[in-house]
Amino acid sequence: YHEEKIALHASIDASLRKPYAVRVSDALIQAYGLDSHLTRCVCGKHWSPIAENEVGKFHTEAYLAFLQKLEFDAHEVTDEAASFVLNSSVCFSETAWPYSQIYTGGSVAAAHALGKGQADVAINWVGGQPHARRDCASGFSYVNDVVLAILALLPTNERILFVNMDAYHASGVEEAFYTTDRVLCISLHRGQAGFFPGSGGIKDTGQHDGANHNINLPVRDGFSDADLDAIFLPTLEAAAARFQPHAVVCCAGTSVLAGDRLGCMNMTLHGYSRCLRALLSIGRPLLLLGGTSYMQSNTARAWTALTAIACEVDLPPEIPEHEFSSYYSPTFRLEVTPVTMDNLNTAESLKATCDAALNTVAQMSHRTAVPKLTQPAAAPCPMDATADDAPTMAVRSDEPPLAAPEHAMDVSHPSGCAEPQRAHQQTPQLAAQQPAPGSQPLSQPPEQVPPSQQPQDAIGEAGTHEAEIAPEQAGVSRDAPEESAPSPDAPMDVEPD
């Protein structure tokens, strides 16, 4: 799922780099010829930016009204901004709303394709913004497309496994599903005092019906490929076997890779690829989303490698010649090599975290086994593809999609607890950006959901919340370039999404 002009939403003033990283990644995917092994579902042809009423299934009307005013009437809502942010890392770009419609529209369209049995794997690299709450932004997550995609899957999938592979804890997703047993959240992330978003503790395992359905795997600086066998892979295998999900959603952030000076982890593409293979081995429909992406070249390497694995294609290590070839200097190779840094994870600390996770899994109810997907076969694009289109990246299963479970959870309340109180909130910056095309609302809006079924957001009191900052004065910049191309791998002194 791709938007050809997504890079127009990159903003230096708002420190928003991901749209450009997606453009660089897509260029490398095409340079390797992977587009001949998948179907490109393009925005405006196969799917549309999400409509406001669809976003309202999770987010509040007041917050959405604020986002929509940013594009043309930001001066009218500058004073309101403090009411719609969770922490000091938020910096709104002027195209925050149309950008959110695009990345969320892709994630939800991909989820619908999986739910209808039209594909076994669907990828939306621009998606994967898991930090936004129902009434405010957090980091660069303006709209929580991950929560909305999971909600789109729940009507036809009784249980969803969500996996976060990123240096940053998926705080908004954890909060949304903290009290339900229909969504199991597993998050591998950097656990460091003062590190964004400040949540994701080992003891946060869920509440009420969701007790023992939230597993956090916080690790320390220098986490490497060798550490995967000590903590992540055994936890994932045990949890999947006991929970028996009907579908899997994964945020594949690249801040876990070596060289990311904010993520401070030290994984290579070999270890990163093992994680995806472990997810594919579960044998369930998989929604693969992007996550944090600061190093443009390593992000492109990683997402290209994962796309190739999903397509069952082996790639040569040499980077093909294309418009961004210079980004891969000096090696011009696909590999991400480890850097020289101390690994602060000890065998004892990893074992303690893994033991705690496996203990949580052991207390989870053992579900009835779900049949694995059959060997994929070619299928048309899920969204109005013609016969001339390439075979789909994720091929259909021979089995029909699941019917809605008789005892389905009321998705209008994915959590069920009271909304957390935020005594102090940070006023964000409002960064101007040239409006980008391709952000029109759906020409044919999806089906409305009755108000009684619209979701509410909540978290258990035992959850660890993000740091909250006292209000500051917001500013509005009007000097942003029309389309900024950030240097490939320059560090950012900002908090990530």
Side-chain angles (χ1 to χ4, degrees):
Y1 288 78
H2 185 63
E3 216 297 332
E4 300 291 351
K5 298 182 179 180
I6 191 63
L8 290 171
H9 293 278
S11 170
I12 292 178
D13 286 350
S15 302
L16 184 62
R17 301 168 62 93
K18 183 173 180 178
Y20 193 76
V22 172
R23 176 186 175 189
V24 175
S25 301
D26 184 66
L28 186 59
I29 289 171
Q30 293 192 64
Y32 267 112
L34 289 175
D35 50 337
S36 65
H37 297 273
L38 53 85
T39 294
R40 290 172 61 84
C41 296
V42 179
C43 184
K45 179 181 178 182
H46 303 115
W47 57 279
S48 300
I50 195 166
E52 178 187 354
N53 66 299
E54 287 291 290
V55 183
K57 292 179 180 179
F58 178 66
H59 291 284
T60 63
E61 291 183 5
Y63 177 52
L64 296 183
F66 165 78
L67 285 178
Q68 292 175 70
K69 286 186 177 181
L70 291 176
E71 187 171 8
F72 300 112
D73 302 304
H75 63 282
E76 297 181 5
V77 295
T78 299
D79 294 337
E80 303 174 23
S83 300
F84 299 107
V85 299
L86 184 60
N87 46 56
S88 59
S89 65
V90 177
C91 185
F92 292 109
S93 69
E94 192 169 279
T95 62
W97 172 241
Y99 169 56
S100 299
Q101 286 184 289
I102 291 171
Y103 72 70
T104 306
S107 297
V108 172
H112 283 311
L114 294 177
K116 295 175 182 177
Q118 295 172 323
D120 290 342
V121 180
I123 299 175
N124 180 32
W125 290 131
V126 74
Q129 316 291 342
H131 299 127
R133 305 307 202 267
R134 64 189 301 267
D135 59 350
C136 65
S138 177
F140 296 129
S141 179
Y142 306 131
V143 169
N144 199 319
D145 66 302
V146 185
V147 170
L148 287 165
I150 292 174
L151 290 176
L153 285 167
L154 282 172
T156 53
N157 296 273
E158 185 174 354
R159 293 183 298 276
I160 308 295
L161 170 62
F162 168 70
V163 178
N164 180 58
M165 301 188 307
D166 207 333
Y168 309 94
H169 177 241
S171 52
V173 180
E174 174 183 286
E175 181 175 309
F177 300 107
Y178 201 69
T179 60
T180 177
D181 60 358
R182 289 189 61 195
V183 180
L184 171 62
C185 297
I186 300 177
S187 179
L188 173 71
H189 54 270
R190 183 187 179 206
Q192 181 74 27
F195 187 68
F196 181 89
S199 55
I202 297 176
K203 295 182 179 180
D204 298 332
T205 59
Q207 283 189 337
H208 306 303
D209 290 345
N212 304 311
H213 284 76
N214 192 78
I215 300 173
N216 288 318
L217 302 172
V219 297
R220 303 187 67 187
D221 294 3
F223 185 85
S224 67
D225 293 356
D227 298 327
L228 287 170
D229 290 306
I231 184 170
F232 178 71
L233 295 177
T235 300
L236 177 63
E237 181 181 4
R242 196 166 185 88
F243 184 65
Q244 290 293 316
H246 293 87
V248 179
V249 177
C250 175
C251 275
T254 59
S255 54
V256 297
L257 294 175
D260 190 299
R261 285 172 281 182
L262 290 176
C264 296
M265 297 172 76
N266 204 18
M267 287 176 57
T268 71
L269 273 188
H270 175 70
Y272 198 67
S273 300
R274 287 182 65 199
C275 295
L276 177 59
R277 289 191 174 95
L279 291 173
L280 290 170
S281 70
I282 297 173
R284 308 291 191 271
L286 173 64
L287 175 57
L288 196 55
L289 306 174
T292 307
S293 55
Y294 282 107
M295 296 187 67
Q296 324 263 1
S297 57
N298 279 357
T299 294
R301 287 180 170 108
W303 290 346
T304 299
L306 296 193
T307 301
I309 292 172
C311 295
E312 300 182 348
V313 174
D314 292 328
L315 299 180
E318 296 79 16
I319 297 291
E321 184 69 28
H322 65 293
E323 60 178 317
F324 297 112
S325 296
S326 61
Y327 280 33
Y328 305 94
S329 174
T331 66
F332 299 100
R333 294 177 68 84
L334 192 62
E335 297 96 340
V336 174
T337 57
V339 299
T340 302
M341 65 182 299
D342 292 333
N343 188 341
L344 302 183
N345 299 278
T346 65
E348 292 76 15
S349 66
L350 293 173
K351 183 178 185 303
T353 302
C354 186
D355 287 347
L358 294 178
N359 181 61
T360 300
V361 172
Q363 297 180 62
M364 189 189 310
S365 300
H366 200 297
R367 273 41 173 238
T368 304
V370 176
K372 289 190 175 184
L373 295 172
T374 57
Q375 182 66 26
C381 177
M383 303 293 176
D384 302 327
T386 66
D388 296 329
D389 281 324
T392 187
M393 152 193 331
V395 287
R396 287 187 297 195
S397 167
D398 293 333
E399 298 182 6
L402 287 169
E406 294 180 1
H407 58 287
M409 178 192 75
D410 180 2
V411 296
S412 65
H413 298 277
S415 301
C417 295
E419 183 179 353
Q421 298 297 318
R422 291 184 289 274
H424 302 287
Q425 295 171 314
Q426 169 71 22
T427 301
Q429 298 174 351
L430 300 176
Q433 177 69 13
Q434 182 71 19
S439 59
Q440 292 78 15
L442 286 168
S443 57
Q444 294 182 344
E447 294 182 9
Q448 293 270 2
V449 172
S452 62
Q453 295 182 9
Q454 293 187 1
Q456 304 294 321
D457 170 63
I459 189 171
E461 295 178 359
T464 304
H465 304 289
E466 300 179 19
E468 295 157 358
I469 314 297
E472 297 177 0
Q473 179 63 39
V476 180
S477 169
R478 296 293 180 186
D479 301 321
E482 291 187 0
E483 180 177 358
S484 303
S487 60
D489 300 320
M492 279 266 181
D493 295 327
V494 296
E495 298 288 359
D497 174 63

